[in-house]
Amino acid sequence: MSGFDLTLLEHDNLGGTIYQKLCEALMKGAFKPNDRLKIRDLADRLGTSVTPVRDAILRLVQDQALVLRSPRDIRVPMLTRATYLEIRDIRVNLEGLAAARAAEQATPAQIAALDALLKRNEEAMAAGNTALATELNQIFHFKVSEFADMPVLGDILRRLWLQMGPLIADVYGGAGRTMIDHHYPLMDAIRGHDGPAAARAIQADILLASGPILERIDGVHPEPLAV
């Protein structure tokens, strides 16, 4: 019995680790809308069997981060306009709350960490490294949430970013300064411990970025013409 319990524990830990790795990849934009995920290929890359990978994929389907069209066709979905707008409006409120709380209590070390991320993001954009810039953008947003010290809110935001990450990555390179400009007034507000200003800055950041994102969605799911 002890051997069985140990094997089960190892399998559960492996499945959980793979799930977390795939979550991180989705949130940081390693996959883009309509990308097809092949269980065997993922298992080979991760150096494991297909079973824990399949289990992780099914969890992500339940999270609405992936779509199971058939056992052999697993894809990253392209959000509809309505779904995106709902997620955007939730993010506006929750990330605004997180930014305000983070600004009120940010330590010098936390402020320095955010400044360093913003500097690296600028360098990645200047170098044309869109993948790294996209990843650093996600890390920046999550660090603000982490520094708010609101773990329940953080868990909600992670679920939203599971769905948003691929779409943000899909437009990041062509969005120019749209994805980063409002991080500067956000940093000014955090340095000044001004909660309301921090909330306004991150809300403006999310709303401004919705322009190119909606253009991308409408290119795939055009709105019906009024009659």
Side-chain angles (χ1 to χ4, degrees):
M1 180 61 71
S2 60
F4 174 79
D5 289 344
L6 179 60
T7 302
L8 181 61
L9 178 62
E10 289 174 346
H11 173 76
D12 285 349
N13 285 343
L14 180 59
T17 299
I18 292 170
Y19 172 77
Q20 291 300 329
K21 282 184 175 293
L22 293 177
C23 284
E24 185 176 351
L26 286 161
M27 289 187 291
K28 291 182 177 179
F31 301 111
K32 294 184 180 180
N34 206 41
D35 278 358
R36 183 181 175 189
L37 277 63
K38 297 181 180 179
I39 292 175
R40 172 60 67 183
D41 289 350
L42 289 171
D44 290 344
R45 289 169 60 184
L46 293 165
T48 185
S49 67
V50 299
T51 301
V53 176
R54 184 183 295 111
D55 292 346
I57 291 290
L58 291 176
R59 286 180 66 182
L60 288 165
V61 170
Q62 291 178 336
D63 291 337
Q64 298 181 316
L66 296 175
V67 173
L68 183 64
R69 295 182 178 177
S70 75
R72 294 182 178 274
D73 192 355
I74 303 157
R75 301 207 179 236
V76 178
M78 169 61 80
L79 298 182
T80 65
R81 169 180 268 263
T83 300
Y84 165 70
L85 289 174
E86 181 180 358
I87 293 174
R88 184 200 67 180
D89 291 347
I90 295 170
R91 285 185 61 211
V92 163
N93 285 281
L94 294 188
E95 291 195 39
L97 174 61
R101 183 70 61 86
E104 291 165 359
Q105 59 192 30
T107 66
Q110 290 172 338
I111 293 170
L114 291 172
D115 278 331
L117 282 170
L118 187 51
K119 181 175 183 293
R120 288 181 62 202
N121 201 340
E122 284 283 7
E123 292 169 349
M125 291 177 65
N129 191 341
T130 302
L132 178 58
T134 303
E135 178 178 344
L136 291 167
N137 175 69
Q138 183 270 338
I139 294 172
F140 181 89
H141 278 262
F142 272 46
K143 281 296 181 183
V144 172
S145 173
E146 177 186 329
F147 295 158
D149 194 24
M150 301 177 74
V152 174
L153 185 150
D155 286 342
I156 296 171
L157 289 175
R158 284 184 182 88
R159 290 181 62 86
L160 296 177
W161 271 79
L162 272 178
Q163 298 179 63
M164 282 296 308
L167 184 54
I168 291 174
D170 200 29
V171 304
Y172 198 96
R177 304 291 313 175
T178 302
M179 295 293 189
I180 196 171
D181 276 348
H182 280 280
H183 291 182
Y184 288 97
L186 172 61
M187 287 307 307
D188 289 341
I190 291 175
R191 278 189 286 269
H193 299 290
D194 187 337
R200 289 193 298 271
I202 202 150
Q203 288 167 345
D205 177 56
I206 295 168
L207 291 171
L208 187 63
S210 69
I213 290 174
L214 285 169
E215 288 180 9
R216 177 71 178 94
I217 291 172
D218 289 344
V220 177
H221 303 296
E223 288 289 284
L225 296 175
V227 294

